[in-house]
Amino acid sequence: MLEGQDGALVTIHGSDGHSDYHGPTDIKTKDSTVLELRQIHDSEGTVQWAIGLSTVACYRATFYDKPVRLVIDFQAGT
């Protein structure tokens, strides 16, 4: 069970997490909004991360290319 009352699912197509990413696949944070991140799928070029949120949250996603990274900011709703 993922921590939090709400959640988000990030799906990345055309990716390979098992050869490009060597970090943890279940991350529990001390943040007040994002409580847990867990990789739930990594096969056939698709990677999925489930994100446990303390409450309904707005988000902003930004892609950078130098170095390549995806940044997702969550802000708790009021």
Side-chain angles (χ1 to χ4, degrees), residues 48-67:
Q48 290 183 316
W49 283 82
I51 302 170
L53 303 168
S54 60
T55 186
V56 174
C58 298
Y59 70 92
R60 175 182 59 193
T62 307
F63 181 80
Y64 297 98
D65 60 356
K66 293 181 184 174

Side-chain angles (χ1 to χ4, degrees), residues 31-65:
D31 187 72
S32 62
T33 303
V34 177
L35 304 177
E36 184 176 5
L37 302 100
R38 183 181 304 154
Q39 183 180 327
I40 59 170
H41 182 84
D42 180 9
S43 68
E44 299 178 4
T46 300
V47 176
Q48 290 183 316
W49 283 82
I51 302 170
L53 303 168
S54 60
T55 186
V56 174
C58 298
Y59 70 92
R60 175 182 59 193
T62 307
F63 181 80
Y64 297 98
D65 60 356

Side-chain angles (χ1 to χ4, degrees), residues 4-18:
Q5 298 293 320
D6 285 282
L9 178 65
V10 176
T11 302
I12 304 168
H13 298 284
S15 184
D16 179 356
H18 58 274

Side-chain angles (χ1 to χ4, degrees), residues 14-36:
S15 184
D16 179 356
H18 58 274
S19 64
D20 293 336
Y21 177 71
H22 303 290
T25 57
D26 190 5
I27 303 164
K28 295 186 180 181
T29 75
K30 297 183 189 293
D31 187 72
S32 62
T33 303
V34 177
L35 304 177
E36 184 176 5

